[in-house]
Amino acid sequence: MMNRRTLIKAMAAAGVATPLVSSLTGCATAAKAQANPATAGKPRVVVIGGGFGGATAAKYLKRFDNNIDVTLVEKKETYMTCPGSNWYLAGLIEGEKITQNYDTLKNKHGVRVIHDTVTGISAGNKEVMLAGGSVLGYDKLIVSPGIDFKYEEIEGYSAEVAEKIPHAYQAGPQTELLYKQIRDMKQGGTFVIAPPGNPFRCPPGPYERISMVAEYFKKNNPTAKIVCLDQKNKFSKAGLFKEGWKKLYPGMIEVIPAIDGGKVTKIDANSMMVYSDYENIKADVMNIIPNQKAGKLAFDAGLTDASGWCPVNQETFESKIHPSVYVIGDAAIAGKMPKSGHSASSQAKMCAAGIVSSIHNTAMPRPKNTNTCYSLVSGDYGISVVAVYEMKDGTIQGVKGAGGVSDTGADAAYRKMEANYARGWYTSIAADIWQS
Ligand SMILES: Cc1cc2nc3c(=O)[nH]c(=O)nc-3n(C[C@H](O)[C@H](O)[C@H](O)COP(=O)(O)OP(=O)(O)OC[C@H]3O[C@@H](n4cnc5c(N)ncnc54)[C@H](O)[C@@H]3O)c2cc1C
């Protein structure tokens, strides 16, 4: 078991320990009797979801206190990351390079990994129910289920239609299907993309996708057109994206904002028609990304509020609805932090530190959180946005003067350097979470 000094050192190494200012109550030592003598008496933390949030939390709980019995439940045996999936669509990276597994978490960190689907949570009994029939007891539960989609807001769209018209906003089979459709598209065809409304996973994601599809078309289908029907008037890094598109893909990309009727109201997957107030367009490939809400499990477990996301104490990530249940990542309402893999991982470290502090009855570290979002406009052209966050008046807010976006008007060497940083970001965060 770690003493207070070594615990704080470990948290500092993970970037989560700064001045200790508040203390948590609620100790997890009242563990239920365990059938397994090896874990009897140990505090038990169950983590649901092995994506950016959950996998980071499982690893860092063990790093901060190896005595905690940590179980990670993830339905998939391998996890294709959304970061890098746009690069994959362009043919800039192989799919296996962005597919992670749980071997290191199991074999190096001692996390018990169960591949099964969570069908329910009993917050009253502190139990998690699995599709395979097992029931897991917990002292603390971390939930990082990601997102789900509001298909019903677009006439003609549904989860079934998305099997044919992929949103590719959860990487995996959807990404593979879109990859194939882009390659099968006729010469000079029209690719129609509709980004979601706020808030949504990865604000620059749809616009990086436009860039990566354009990168592919430039080399393989140079007379193709990309039409972006947007229900918003502004988007992340818009000036930088548009500068890059003008330079690299002149005449290929047209963006119709909300003010010009860009919101898609209806699609027809058979005739491939996309309907909006702007005009009705016949698409050859459609990439309609629906508006979003917290992952289904968060709804089933009663962790969401009227917004469709999960209200949490933004310092500890403990649910405001169910005590001892913590929600991190895209599903959580995390103040000004965007819904990104970087944010989810940063929140997971904070949440793990808070839980370990509460188990040890030590004060909660008060960290600064960060987010970095790199986007590729082409393989040699990268842009970025960085922000630093802190708790202020009970919510996570941006630190004024910290962070920023790439310069507009930068030269080719600068853009190439940022493209290399983008690849470096992926390599290091994947290594941190799944590989080391
Ligand atoms: C195209 C695209 C590009 C992106 N690029 C970037 C980027 O460059 N940088 C960045 O920081 N972010 C990026 N993101 C955003 C990033 O992918 C998400 O913000 C991140 O994955 C959120 O992590 P999470 O843990 O909340 O959810 P997820 O990573 O989605 O993980 C949720 C996990 O929970 C599992 N799960 C859900 N329900 C259950 C259940 N009932 N039982 C068992 N398991 C369950 C799922 O299988 C899944 O593995 C991008 C997203 C997209 C779509």
Side-chain angles (χ1 to χ4, degrees), residues 48-55 73-76 79 81-87 102 116-119 144-147 168-171 201-202 205-206 208-209 296-297 328-331 339-344 371-375 425 429:
I48 304 173
F52 279 81
V73 187
E74 163 57 53
K75 54 185 159 191
K76 296 176 299 215
Y79 168 86
T81 63
C82 286
S85 65
N86 287 330
W87 312 347
Y102 300 93
D116 203 342
T117 299
V118 174
T119 51
S144 190
I147 55 162
Y169 232 64
Q170 280 162 328
R201 156 176 285 188
C202 193
E208 183 190 61
R209 178 165 297 163
K296 181 176 180 300
L297 179 66
I328 56 173
D330 288 353
K339 299 188 184 300
S340 76
H342 196 117
S343 296
N371 181 62
T372 306
C373 270
Y374 283 100
S375 304
W425 171 86
I429 198 164

Side-chain angles (χ1 to χ4, degrees), residues 5-65:
R5 209 183 143 90
T6 47
L7 173 65
I8 293 168
K9 262 174 85 177
M11 290 178 183
V16 291
T18 47
L20 304 176
V21 289
S22 70
S23 76
L24 280 181
T25 53
C27 184
T29 44
K32 289 185 183 176
Q34 297 269 339
N36 178 355
T39 57
K42 291 184 174 185
R44 296 164 306 166
V45 182
V46 173
V47 182
I48 304 173
F52 279 81
T56 307
K59 171 179 166 179
Y60 277 86
L61 280 165
K62 290 301 275 184
R63 290 231 3 220
F64 295 155
D65 183 355

Side-chain angles (χ1 to χ4, degrees), residues 134-219:
S134 321
V135 176
L136 305 173
Y138 65 82
D139 299 301
K140 302 275 185 191
L141 174 66
I142 301 178
V143 183
S144 190
I147 55 162
D148 205 348
F149 300 98
K150 297 179 178 174
Y151 293 107
E152 67 284 359
E153 292 185 354
I154 299 174
E155 196 184 333
Y157 210 11
S158 65
E160 294 69 44
V161 171
E163 302 285 315
K164 189 176 161 199
I165 307 290
H167 49 71
Y169 232 64
Q170 280 162 328
Q174 285 264 313
T175 316
E176 299 293 356
L177 182 56
L178 188 60
Y179 177 96
K180 185 170 180 314
Q181 290 180 353
I182 290 166
R183 277 148 189 82
D184 290 347
M185 195 174 94
K186 73 175 188 204
Q187 289 294 309
T190 303
F191 178 94
V192 178
I193 180 167
N198 295 319
F200 64 101
R201 156 176 285 188
C202 193
Y207 311 95
E208 183 190 61
R209 178 165 297 163
I210 290 171
S211 312
M212 292 293 91
V213 173
E215 159 101 356
Y216 177 82
F217 287 158
K218 186 177 177 177
K219 292 177 193 150

Side-chain angles (χ1 to χ4, degrees), residues 403-420:
V405 291
S406 314
D407 293 337
T408 46
D411 63 18
Y414 183 99
R415 299 291 186 226
K416 189 169 181 176
M417 187 178 70
E418 286 231 271
N420 286 336

Side-chain angles (χ1 to χ4, degrees), residues 64-344:
F64 295 155
D65 183 355
N66 196 32
N67 187 52
I68 299 176
D69 177 30
V70 179
T71 302
L72 174 69
V73 187
E74 163 57 53
K75 54 185 159 191
K76 296 176 299 215
E77 303 240 331
T78 57
Y79 168 86
M80 185 189 235
T81 63
C82 286
S85 65
N86 287 330
W87 312 347
Y88 174 65
L89 293 177
L92 294 178
I93 194 169
E94 286 156 28
E96 68 206 37
K97 292 260 163 58
I98 54 165
T99 303
Q100 309 299 335
N101 66 49
Y102 300 93
D103 292 350
T104 306
L105 279 174
K106 268 189 277 195
N107 302 331
K108 181 171 171 189
H109 298 291
V111 174
R112 184 157 66 117
V113 179
I114 299 176
H115 291 294
D116 203 342
T117 299
V118 174
T119 51
I121 296 168
S122 167
N125 294 336
K126 293 194 161 185
E127 285 173 348
V128 170
M129 278 69 76
L130 306 186
S134 321
V135 176
L136 305 173
Y138 65 82
D139 299 301
K140 302 275 185 191
L141 174 66
I142 301 178
V143 183
S144 190
I147 55 162
D148 205 348
F149 300 98
K150 297 179 178 174
Y151 293 107
E152 67 284 359
E153 292 185 354
I154 299 174
E155 196 184 333
Y157 210 11
S158 65
E160 294 69 44
V161 171
E163 302 285 315
K164 189 176 161 199
I165 307 290
H167 49 71
Y169 232 64
Q170 280 162 328
Q174 285 264 313
T175 316
E176 299 293 356
L177 182 56
L178 188 60
Y179 177 96
K180 185 170 180 314
Q181 290 180 353
I182 290 166
R183 277 148 189 82
D184 290 347
M185 195 174 94
K186 73 175 188 204
Q187 289 294 309
T190 303
F191 178 94
V192 178
I193 180 167
N198 295 319
F200 64 101
R201 156 176 285 188
C202 193
Y207 311 95
E208 183 190 61
R209 178 165 297 163
I210 290 171
S211 312
M212 292 293 91
V213 173
E215 159 101 356
Y216 177 82
F217 287 158
K218 186 177 177 177
K219 292 177 193 150
N220 301 286
N221 191 345
T223 53
K225 287 269 174 283
I226 299 173
V227 180
C228 170
L229 291 168
D230 208 339
Q231 58 184 293
K232 306 182 295 303
N233 287 318
K234 288 196 259 179
F235 60 86
S236 171
K237 295 184 273 189
L240 286 162
F241 276 115
K242 286 180 180 169
E243 180 185 63
W245 294 342
K246 204 167 156 196
K247 192 174 271 176
L248 299 167
Y249 316 114
M252 186 181 274
I253 299 164
E254 187 185 6
V255 179
I256 317 298
I259 197 165
D260 293 331
K263 185 174 166 53
V264 170
T265 51
K266 178 180 165 184
I267 60 169
D268 184 331
N270 294 322
S271 63
M272 292 296 281
M273 289 298 296
V274 186
Y275 299 86
S276 70
D277 288 342
Y278 170 68
E279 63 180 25
N280 302 331
I281 301 174
K282 169 111 174 60
D284 294 290
V285 175
M286 256 193 237
N287 182 213
I288 311 296
I289 308 166
N291 289 346
Q292 296 166 18
K293 57 186 177 182
K296 181 176 180 300
L297 179 66
F299 282 86
D300 293 348
L303 290 163
T304 50
D305 67 13
S307 71
W309 305 98
C310 303
V312 294
N313 169 331
Q314 293 180 18
E315 190 153 33
T316 60
F317 288 88
E318 186 166 15
S319 164
K320 286 188 174 171
I321 300 172
H322 293 307
S324 297
V325 179
Y326 298 71
V327 185
I328 56 173
D330 288 353
I333 300 171
K336 293 280 179 204
M337 289 190 89
K339 299 188 184 300
S340 76
H342 196 117
S343 296

